């Protein structure tokens, strides 16, 4: 990644959609050879969005179980301004340990570092890299890459703030045909797996369409997005 950092940041700055951010996290995951790269933000009015490589199952489970209320990474990073290794956080409570075990069971690794990002009007974001390895290997990874990851994290946040500013300046963009199809199938009661099969796409690609639609609709989760799409007459079931 050393020789390609400037090129990557240039492509990131040309991103125009949430789908572009998803592709950027996948690119980073592959370049660094880690389990996951995730960017998650809360905008100035409390709407939550994210782009990353966590599985659909884990994202849905996180939301369904309201893990946001107990996640030590969120609580441990909110008032900090420097990178936080997950080992530095308080995992002592029974709920925190159960949460961590559940995360591991759903494809997360045992190591993580999150970079807190604070923007205007209360905007808060985290850029996280996650992997499974020994403490020695993880410390070496951070020593080699953390400086670049901090630069990348701030550019991700800069791009997210541009998205928020664009949304504030006028009506949200209409949903694309693929986004409408995905939301319609979910509104009909299909599971993500069934909807993906119906559209002849992977579940991961379906998640990208759902997340971009959710972002455009200003919804907090998929159910909220479906409800907003129905009430606005964007989809009919």
């Amino acid at each position: 990644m050393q020789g390609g950092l400037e090129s990557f940041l240039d492509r990131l700055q040309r991103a125009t959609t949430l789908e572009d951010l998803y592709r950027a996290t996948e690119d980073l995951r592959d370049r660094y050879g880690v389990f996951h790269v995730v960017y998650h933000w809360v905008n100035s009015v409390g709407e939550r969005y994210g782009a990353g490589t966590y599985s659909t199952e884990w994202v849905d489970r996180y939301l369904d179980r309201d893990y946001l209320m107990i996640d030590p990474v969120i609580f441990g990073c909110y008032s900090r301004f420097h990178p936080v290794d997950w080992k530095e956080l308080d995992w002592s409570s029974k709920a925190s340990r159960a949460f961590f075990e559940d995360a591991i069971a759903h494809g997360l690794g045992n190591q993580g570092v999150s970079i807190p990002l604070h923007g205007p009007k209360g905007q808060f974001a985290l850029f996280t890299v996650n992997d499974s390895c020994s403490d020695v290997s993880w410390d070496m990874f951070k020593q080699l890459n953390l400086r670049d990851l901090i630069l990348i994290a701030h550019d991700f946040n800069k791009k997210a703030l541009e998205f928020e500013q664009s949304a504030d300046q006028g009506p949200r963009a209409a949903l694309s045909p693929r986004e409408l199809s995905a939301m319609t199938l979910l509104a009909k009661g299909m599971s993500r797996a069934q909807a993906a099969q119906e559209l002849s796409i992977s579940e991961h690609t379906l998640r990208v369409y759902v997340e971009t639609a959710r972002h455009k609709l200003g919804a907090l989760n998929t159910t909220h997005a479906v409800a907003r799409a129905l009430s606005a007459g964007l989809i009919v079931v």
Side-chain angles (χ1 to χ4, degrees):
M1 184 67 182
Q2 295 296 325
L5 177 62
E6 185 174 339
S7 174
F8 174 82
L9 293 177
D10 182 60
R11 293 199 312 276
L12 181 60
Q13 285 308 306
R14 294 200 300 270
T16 58
T17 67
L18 188 58
E19 187 173 354
D20 291 335
L21 294 190
Y22 268 102
R23 290 181 180 141
T25 61
E26 292 173 339
D27 187 13
L28 288 172
R29 175 199 60 195
D30 296 342
R31 285 171 178 266
Y32 283 108
V34 294
F35 270 26
H36 296 291
V37 173
V38 176
Y39 174 76
H40 170 259
W41 79 94
V42 179
N43 70 11
S44 59
V45 295
E47 297 171 339
R48 297 190 295 271
Y49 306 108
T53 62
Y54 288 155
S55 69
T56 299
E57 291 76 16
W58 174 241
V59 172
D60 287 346
R61 190 173 181 84
Y62 188 98
L63 293 171
D64 290 343
R65 297 207 167 193
D66 207 16
Y67 277 147
L68 182 71
M69 303 306 296
I70 63 171
D71 189 346
V73 178
I74 300 293
F75 285 100
C77 292
Y78 187 75
S79 60
R80 303 191 192 190
F81 294 85
H82 300 290
V84 179
D85 190 292
W86 288 5
K87 293 190 295 289
E88 302 170 15
L89 301 171
D90 182 7
W91 299 91
S92 60
S93 72
K94 182 178 180 180
S96 295
R97 293 194 301 271
F99 162 71
F100 188 70
E101 291 173 2
D102 200 17
I104 297 293
H106 284 81
L108 274 70
N110 63 312
Q111 306 284 3
V113 61
S114 294
I115 300 168
L117 301 153
H118 299 269
K121 300 179 182 178
Q123 186 256 1
F124 170 67
L126 285 178
F127 182 85
T128 293
V129 177
N130 171 260
D131 198 26
S132 183
C133 59
S134 68
D135 287 350
V136 173
S137 296
W138 184 244
D139 289 341
M140 180 63 71
F141 172 83
K142 291 190 300 177
Q143 183 178 340
L144 291 173
N145 300 303
L146 192 54
R147 184 185 297 270
D148 285 354
L149 291 172
I150 292 171
L151 292 175
I152 292 168
H154 282 278
D155 272 30
F156 259 88
N157 203 50
K158 197 182 303 181
K159 180 55 62 175
L161 289 172
E162 289 179 16
F163 288 171
E164 181 180 357
Q165 184 178 20
S166 296
D168 289 342
Q169 289 175 347
R172 295 180 185 270
L175 301 188
S176 71
R178 278 297 201 179
E179 291 162 0
L180 287 170
S181 296
M183 298 299 289
T184 298
L185 294 177
L186 293 179
K188 289 180 177 179
M190 287 191 183
S191 68
R192 288 176 183 262
Q194 292 169 329
Q197 184 176 10
E198 180 74 15
L199 295 173
S200 299
I201 58 177
S202 69
E203 285 190 56
H204 177 76
T205 300
L206 179 81
R207 178 162 69 94
V208 171
Y209 290 135
V210 172
E211 284 297 299
T212 54
R214 185 168 69 86
H215 173 66
K216 291 177 180 179
L217 293 165
L220 298 178
N221 54 41
T222 302
T223 302
H224 189 201
V226 169
R228 285 200 166 187
L230 286 168
S231 65
L234 297 175
I235 59 176
V236 179
V237 296

